[in-house]
Amino acid sequence: MALLLLVAGCTTAAPPESVLAVPAKPQKYAAIVVDASTGKTLFEVNSTAQRYPASLTKMMTLYMLFEALESGRVTKQTQIPVSDHAATQPPTKLRFRRGETIDVDSAIRAMVVKSANDVAVAVGEYLGGDSEDQFAAMMTARARSLGMTGTNFRNACGLPDDGQVTTARDMAVLGMALEKRFPQHFHYFSESDFMFRGRLVRGHNDMLGRVRGVDGIKTGYIRASGYNIVTSYNADGRHLIVVVMGADSARQRNNHVEALIQRSLGPTTADAGQPRLMYSGQQPASPPPGLQPPGSALPGLPAPGSAPPASMQAGQPASDLPSPDLASPTSPLLLPAQ
């Protein structure tokens, strides 16, 4: 009888709590995993808290350039001039000189693969009527039309700016919009290198070729943001968009993305609760904390929905080396309108 009671007790006991290691500080971390086929949110933490986009910004620059291609304003052979302002951007860059030009097809690859700041600014100036500021206003307006309510752009490349902020949710919306609106151009995001002026230019997105089914999209880094990424997974009838922001290193960020993909593809994802998080710097022996308060933001950032102050610390030059509205896994993330 005692043995039967023991067995019964074991079979009815609650499963152990799930703990997820996070390679980021809690004040920088934000993440979301979305089923791109249905818009359903499979995982999210701080997904509407404002974060610095870094070179994820170039996803919107590319969106605007793809629109220009679609409208006929430019062709892939159109030459984009490089101004002195564009040429003097800090790395990463292709090191153009003022007065040189780059064709649109190469410019797309330079932004996707190399995350070239000089090229992104040249494209922004060209599409913005010789004004990067005007182009940034156009980017923000397009973001609003896509439902990206927590994003403000101030430049075309993602270099630090006091007011340039976004959210993990908004980056997921933009990733889905790029795939849905421009399927004919999405192949660019799966390229890991390209030839330019007789030399091979290698990229930064090490997720490509690492995980079967990953086909893009974009990485980003500035010191203030940590290591960011938007990743598209598309295999075996499953299509996911994964956003991770604020990681301590590119390698740890990639490991975390892979863990989130595996978790989201698991058979019990729909019934699994939100795991508790073990943030960067915490000792394994200490009890893992609960999730951060909904909408928590970086120190100095405003609450979601408010205008960022002009005095916000923005960090150093770029290189690319739970919210109440999305708290439930069954709450759909609306697919962006075309």
Side-chain angles (χ1 to χ4, degrees):
M1 180 65 71
L3 180 60
L4 288 174
L5 289 174
L6 178 61
V7 172
C10 291
T11 57
T12 58
E17 184 178 42
S18 174
V19 178
L20 181 65
V22 176
K25 304 296 188 297
Q27 68 270 25
K28 284 189 174 184
Y29 180 67
I32 189 169
V33 181
V34 179
D35 186 323
S37 300
T38 65
K40 179 180 178 181
T41 301
L42 305 178
F43 173 87
E44 69 87 27
V45 177
N46 292 337
S47 62
T48 60
Q50 287 186 313
R51 298 290 187 258
Y52 301 109
S55 285
L56 300 187
T57 297
K58 296 182 180 78
M59 291 168 58
M60 182 56 80
T61 303
L62 287 156
Y63 189 100
M64 304 292 285
L65 185 54
F66 292 156
E67 279 195 327
L69 279 168
E70 189 177 68
S71 68
R73 181 179 176 185
V74 300
T75 70
K76 290 187 178 182
Q77 292 73 44
T78 299
Q79 295 293 316
I80 304 292
V82 178
S83 69
D84 184 65
H85 172 62
T88 56
Q89 296 300 305
T92 52
K93 57 196 291 185
L94 289 186
R95 302 191 181 279
F96 280 96
R97 297 175 181 175
R98 178 170 61 99
E100 292 185 306
T101 63
I102 182 172
D103 63 274
V104 166
D105 183 66
S106 296
I108 294 170
R109 289 184 164 88
M111 285 188 282
V112 171
V113 176
K114 185 65 174 176
S115 200
N117 293 324
D118 49 357
V119 175
V121 172
V123 168
E125 289 177 330
Y126 186 85
L127 297 180
D130 296 325
S131 170
E132 187 183 9
D133 289 340
Q134 176 61 30
F135 182 68
M138 294 163 58
M139 294 167 72
T140 300
R142 174 59 68 229
R144 293 292 179 275
S145 74
L146 294 174
M148 299 168 62
T149 58
T151 297
N152 290 291
F153 292 112
R154 296 292 184 266
N155 59 55
C157 62
L159 284 167
D161 185 282
D162 288 355
Q164 184 128 318
V165 291
T166 191
T167 70
R169 178 196 181 276
D170 283 1
M171 286 294 106
V173 168
L174 181 55
M176 289 191 293
L178 281 163
E179 290 196 78
K180 182 179 180 181
R181 176 76 184 276
F182 306 109
Q184 72 277 28
H185 300 313
F186 195 75
H187 66 90
Y188 284 109
F189 293 102
S190 66
E191 297 183 9
S192 56
D193 56 49
F194 72 105
M195 293 297 299
F196 184 70
R197 293 181 174 176
R199 65 186 179 93
L200 183 65
V201 179
R202 298 188 184 277
H204 306 102
N205 191 350
D206 294 333
M207 289 299 296
L208 295 170
R210 167 177 170 155
V211 178
R212 186 182 68 87
V214 167
D215 56 358
I217 296 180
K218 188 73 186 74
T219 63
Y221 170 81
I222 59 174
R223 187 172 299 177
S225 72
Y227 290 83
N228 300 339
I229 194 168
V230 178
T231 294
S232 170
Y233 172 90
N234 198 345
D236 302 325
R238 298 295 305 276
H239 188 189
L240 307 175
I241 294 292
V242 182
V243 181
V244 170
M245 309 185 78
D248 292 338
S249 72
R251 177 176 294 181
Q252 291 175 316
R253 175 199 64 197
N254 295 345
N255 290 341
H256 190 56
V257 169
E258 187 171 355
L260 290 177
I261 291 174
Q262 291 175 346
R263 179 184 184 275
S264 300
L265 296 177
T268 60
T269 299
D271 300 323
Q274 190 85 307
R276 302 187 73 184
L277 304 186
M278 180 72 73
Y279 287 104
S280 174
Q282 292 177 336
Q283 297 300 318
S286 63
L291 299 179
Q292 288 299 109
S296 60
L298 284 169
L301 280 181
S306 62
S311 61
M312 184 192 307
Q313 288 294 328
Q316 300 298 318
S319 65
D320 256 296
L321 314 160
S323 307
D325 58 336
L326 294 176
S328 170
T330 59
S331 299
L333 180 66
L334 297 178
L335 295 175
Q338 290 194 16

